[in-house]
Amino acid sequence: MQNALDEAQTIVLLGGTSEIGRAIVDELVSSSTRTLVLACRRPDEAGAERFARDGLNVVVEPFDAAATETHEGFARRLAAEHGDLDVVVLAFGVLGEQTEFDDDPGAAAAAVHVNYTGGVAASLAFAGVMRRQGHGRLVVLSSVAGERVRAANFVYGSSKAGLDAFAQGLGDSLAGTGVQVTVVRPGFVHSRMTRGMKSAPFSTTPRVVAELTVAGMRKGKHTVWTPGILRYVFSVLRHVPRPIFRRLPLG
Amino acid sequence: MRTDDTTPGRRRLLAGWGRANPTAATVRDVEPDELAAAVKDLPARGGIARGLGRSYGDPAQNAGGHVLRLAPANDHVAIDDDAGTVTAGGGVGIDDLLAILVPRGWFVPVTPGTRFVTIGGAIASDIHGKNHHREGSFGNHVTRLRLMLADGTVVDLAPEPAPGNDHELFWATVGGMGLTGVIVDATFRLIPIETSRMSVETHRLGHLDDVMDRMVESDADFRYSVAWIDLLARGKHLGRGVLTNGEHAVPDQLSPTAASDPLAYDGRQLVAVPPVVPPTGVINRLSVTAFNEVWYRRARTGRHVGVESIPAYFHPLDLVGGWNRVYGRSGFLQYQFVVPFGAEAVLRTVIERISAARLPIFLTVLKRFGAGNRGPLSFPMGGWTLAIDVATDRSGLAPLLRSLDDLVLGAGGRHYLTKDFHMTPADVRRGYPRLDEWRAVRDRVDPGGAWASDLSRRLELTD
């Protein structure tokens, strides 16, 4: 159970190697936290020692976002083994190369499957556990790339657009159940995922995303833009005519 | 096999009085004769009784399970004028009880700062009042209680060991946070009163040492004693406060008009906080500094004696309906602890740290407890207790409270479970060394874990 200061006792990170996800966990872990589950495709890369602390049980679990048929059983097993799940952060996802997707529809479908289908299945599985336990916080990592999809990464952007819309609807459907969904829309984040890429305007870091995410969760916000100014930037970009939008230097 | 219950529409969000962290449970209003059926119907996540929802934190929430609200059944009040006792249903509120008792010349043995507490809640929290230094907590005055167990049977319990009496279960229920069963009804001793007024002696005191010295000196002379402290005062004014000592007034002390009806009692609310309050609340350093100055100056310098009504003396906040809304959307918590006598330096350090943190705190209560009772989870013990209300959205609050916890627990003190909403399982084990003794009794009467609450899960009281 969370305490009055929004300190979680049990935290689950889906996408246990995600830099943004781990930065969010850094913000969430407190002296009240008893269990941290790092769920990832390659458990040997989980780096659990980074979170090691007296009194904190760090558990590494194999989790494949693409294996959607396993998600419900996985969520139920974690709840059975660790008790109530206070916060679940859904941070897995693949960016991919748009140029490769252009030539390989199968690879594009696989990326969309992880980002969207996997996100849907995992969110519903954990939302089900939380609804039954009567409380919980689900954090879904979306992206501004889904807010208005650009030619430079439209496969990734469309998958995040789908996930974002799904998570908003899920949050509404859970009103009154004690479960809160927070959708996070980061802009360009300097991380391993974007290494070597040209930085976009208003770029940010995993740490800033994490701080704003946790502050937003604690205020009960449904949507968190990181940095916050992107909310206003995109309220304009959303309405820019396409011939102009596709010429904008957006990284 | 107990099952999940997630039927849409049956769940409701519930929070404690502090309004932080609501969770969803199935709320069932039950008449006394339906209670056994409701207990048999508990789902996998169990059930907990809830009274008037005045616990600040999460002891009367049970996310994912059932919350049982026992009907007040005010007809279930029987006064024995010869014995000076009353028998009342677990769902009966002190508010309703006072309206019946006071005109007949009786007063409840213990009342907290609100009248909106049920008898079941008063026992489960083993509430204390301004007379603890003399008369102990509520459980000290209960002569028998009936408890519905997890299997639906009702047992009759008394405090003293006797053949056929499970006195261990009695004391595990006193302060047991509702986790041993549902209190069906209880009999407890009353205080005879001649008037419904209080004779109150007020002292305005310039700093903490004065407040504490005066409390030590005057405690033995008064039945009721409590001090308010200005936690925004600093430097040489650190811990300045107002001490109020009280006694039930005798007819000679009343004005001629009041003396014509010495036992008149009126507990109506005067005003209510409107339902719309800014999301951030209206408690901030500016408003609280102003309030504290007025509250401090209102008390005249030196000693002042006056006559006050029961609501004005015991339950001033009840006169303002919905006052918990003033803290805004994210709610507030009450931090209440006790440190044993001899740990005055620790108390002073705690007050210094709170003052240094410049938190906008207007509700502070400093009291001296007498000896504790036999309840393994009963909060009071001989020592000093301080309670403060603080909004939960203050940055730096978590590390501040952790540092205070370490001081309190290090001094052999503990925190009040009814108010707690931030502790960890390890903290409770340090503060309540008899927890295992309590768990043994609880496991004996509820082996299947039918009784559960957000508090019991968060603090691992029962698994």
Side-chain angles (χ1 to χ4, degrees):
Chain A
M1 300 293 311
Q2 294 216 131
N3 65 17
L5 306 170
D6 283 313
E7 293 179 328
Q9 289 184 321
T10 305
I11 301 168
V12 178
L13 175 60
L14 303 175
T17 57
S18 152
E19 273 176 87
I20 297 178
R22 290 162 77 92
I24 292 173
V25 167
D26 282 335
E27 281 294 306
L28 286 172
V29 167
S30 69
S31 52
S32 295
T33 310
R34 314 288 308 279
T35 304
L36 167 63
V37 179
L38 301 172
C40 47
R41 195 150 41 103
R42 289 183 293 273
D44 49 318
E45 293 172 18
E49 61 287 348
R50 148 133 173 243
F51 299 101
R53 190 170 63 61
D54 269 356
L56 180 65
N57 177 27
V58 185
V59 182
V60 178
E61 288 280 353
F63 171 74
D64 184 356
T68 52
E69 72 285 357
T70 64
H71 293 182
E72 195 181 6
F74 180 65
R76 283 180 183 265
R77 180 167 65 77
L78 290 191
E81 287 176 8
H82 304 294
D84 287 10
L85 307 178
D86 292 330
V87 183
V88 174
V89 182
L90 196 151
F92 59 76
V94 290
L95 182 56
E97 278 287 338
Q98 184 58 43
T99 49
E100 286 175 23
F101 291 152
D102 291 341
D103 298 328
D104 188 351
V112 171
H113 178 70
V114 168
N115 290 357
Y116 180 67
T117 317
V120 167
S123 299
L124 285 173
F126 281 94
V129 166
M130 289 177 165
R131 198 172 59 236
R132 282 189 290 280
Q133 73 188 15
H135 68 102
R137 307 272 184 270
L138 181 66
V139 182
V140 177
L141 266 296
S142 174
S143 168
V144 295
E147 181 61 20
R148 181 143 191 200
V149 175
R150 292 181 297 121
N153 64 358
F154 63 89
V155 169
Y156 174 79
S158 67
S159 70
K160 285 294 187 185
L163 180 66
D164 192 296
F166 161 80
Q168 301 280 349
L170 178 66
D172 287 342
S173 81
L174 291 169
T177 64
V179 185
Q180 174 189 299
V181 178
T182 304
V183 180
V184 185
R185 292 182 184 147
F188 184 93
V189 182
H190 291 284
S191 70
R192 205 173 50 238
M193 196 192 225
T194 58
R195 192 168 296 154
M197 292 173 59
K198 203 172 107 215
S199 174
F202 308 113
S203 64
T204 186
T205 63
R207 179 146 174 222
V208 171
V209 174
E211 285 169 359
L212 292 172
T213 298
V214 173
M217 282 170 70
R218 290 183 175 165
K219 284 188 188 138
K221 286 192 176 174
H222 304 295
T223 311
V224 176
W225 295 83
T226 62
I229 190 171
L230 287 177
R231 177 178 166 193
Y232 304 101
V233 171
F234 270 83
S235 69
V236 173
L237 283 180
R238 199 180 294 138
H239 302 291
V240 172
R242 279 172 65 179
I244 298 171
F245 180 75
R246 60 175 173 255
R247 291 195 187 98
L248 290 177
L250 295 173
Chain B
M1 166 79 189
R2 292 193 165 120
T3 53
D4 291 331
D5 178 6
T6 52
T7 317
R10 294 194 64 191
R11 291 285 189 88
R12 274 184 45 195
L13 282 176
L14 289 176
W17 185 242
R19 304 175 78 220
N21 266 353
T23 60
T26 300
V27 180
R28 302 190 60 175
D29 290 304
V30 287
E31 296 293 329
D33 60 353
E34 301 164 346
L35 187 56
V39 169
K40 287 203 168 60
D41 197 27
L42 292 179
R45 287 175 69 88
I48 194 76
R50 181 182 175 99
L52 294 163
R54 290 298 169 115
S55 288
Y56 280 68
D58 53 358
Q61 292 166 237
N62 181 24
H66 284 191
V67 169
L68 307 178
R69 293 198 306 197
L70 204 54
N74 281 343
D75 51 341
H76 195 158
V77 173
I79 303 172
D80 183 336
D81 288 300
D82 297 331
T85 61
V86 66
T87 301
V92 175
I94 285 182
D95 180 43
D96 295 319
L97 212 46
L98 286 176
I100 302 168
L101 292 174
V102 173
R104 288 179 63 161
W106 295 112
F107 194 65
V108 289
V110 170
T111 177
T114 174
R115 285 172 279 135
F116 299 107
V117 173
T118 61
I119 297 310
I123 295 169
S125 288
D126 195 19
I127 58 169
H128 54 268
K130 298 175 171 70
N131 56 341
H132 191 280
H133 59 286
R134 278 235 192 137
E135 288 158 320
S137 49
F138 200 90
N140 295 34
H141 305 272
V142 177
T143 56
R144 71 166 262 298
L145 64 86
R146 290 199 304 145
L147 185 72
M148 182 171 287
L149 302 180
D151 62 3
T153 59
V154 175
V155 287
D156 230 305
L157 304 168
E160 300 304 328
N165 174 44
D166 191 346
H167 70 283
E168 286 183 337
L169 180 54
F170 178 94
W171 288 107
T173 302
V174 169
M177 307 310 294
L179 295 164
T180 56
V182 180
I183 294 159
V184 178
D185 58 28
T187 304
F188 51 94
R189 285 185 290 267
L190 298 170
I191 295 175
I193 51 173
E194 292 178 62
T195 78
S196 60
R197 313 301 204 282
M198 300 302 297
S199 162
V200 182
E201 192 177 302
T202 308
H203 300 264
R204 184 167 110 185
L205 301 158
H207 57 86
L208 187 61
D209 290 341
D210 268 5
V211 174
M212 292 174 68
D213 288 349
R214 172 62 72 171
M215 288 179 86
V216 173
E217 286 164 21
S218 65
D219 249 16
D221 302 333
F222 292 90
R223 182 171 223 153
Y224 301 101
S225 174
V226 66
W228 167 86
I229 305 274
D230 179 359
L231 285 175
L232 281 172
R234 285 191 283 189
K236 65 182 179 147
H237 299 299
L238 179 85
R240 71 176 183 175
V242 177
L243 169 65
T244 51
N245 291 322
E247 291 286 350
H248 293 285
V250 293
D252 286 355
Q253 292 172 293
L254 304 191
S255 67
T257 347
S260 66
D261 187 4
L263 289 166
Y265 177 75
D266 182 359
R268 279 176 296 186
Q269 283 179 354
L270 300 178
V271 289
V273 173
V276 183
V277 168
T280 50
V282 293
I283 300 293
N284 53 55
R285 204 178 299 157
L286 197 66
S287 66
V288 172
T289 305
F291 171 88
N292 286 5
E293 193 62 31
V294 169
W295 200 251
Y296 181 72
R297 299 281 163 204
R298 201 189 68 137
R300 281 171 257 182
T301 46
R303 172 173 170 267
H304 170 73
V305 182
V307 173
E308 291 179 15
S309 71
I310 283 171
Y313 181 68
F314 287 103
H315 314 121
L317 282 168
D318 286 344
L319 299 175
V320 184
W323 66 264
N324 56 340
R325 289 199 286 264
V326 300
Y327 284 91
R329 190 182 287 155
S330 60
F332 65 108
L333 62 81
Q334 184 165 94
Y335 186 74
Q336 179 163 17
F337 66 87
V338 55
V339 289
F341 292 126
E344 284 76 11
V346 170
L347 177 67
R348 167 175 272 281
T349 307
V350 168
I351 288 172
E352 281 169 356
R353 288 201 192 166
I354 297 171
S355 169
R358 315 303 297 148
L359 293 170
I361 292 170
F362 77 96
L363 196 144
T364 60
V365 176
L366 179 64
K367 283 177 36 56
R368 284 160 59 82
F369 277 152
N373 62 27
R374 286 150 61 193
L377 289 193
S378 175
F379 166 64
M381 63 159 95
W384 297 88
T385 181
L386 181 74
I388 61 170
D389 277 0
V390 56
T392 53
D393 63 354
R394 302 288 144 179
S395 64
L397 184 60
L400 172 69
L401 293 186
R402 290 255 41 109
S403 82
L404 303 186
D405 292 345
D406 286 341
L407 286 169
V408 167
L409 295 168
R414 61 185 170 219
H415 303 82
Y416 190 17
L417 294 178
T418 300
K419 311 275 182 75
D420 170 64
F421 210 165
H422 81 285
M423 266 193 290
T424 66
D427 294 336
V428 180
R429 279 146 183 80
R430 279 181 79 189
Y432 290 86
R434 294 173 65 201
L435 179 66
D436 284 343
E437 185 187 324
W438 177 84
R439 285 165 64 122
V441 179
R442 132 114 198 169
D443 291 348
R444 172 161 63 77
V445 295
D446 182 15
W451 307 115
S453 62
D454 287 5
L455 177 91
S456 76
R457 287 195 183 87
R458 179 167 58 83
L459 298 179
E460 295 175 6
L461 296 179
T462 50
D463 10 276

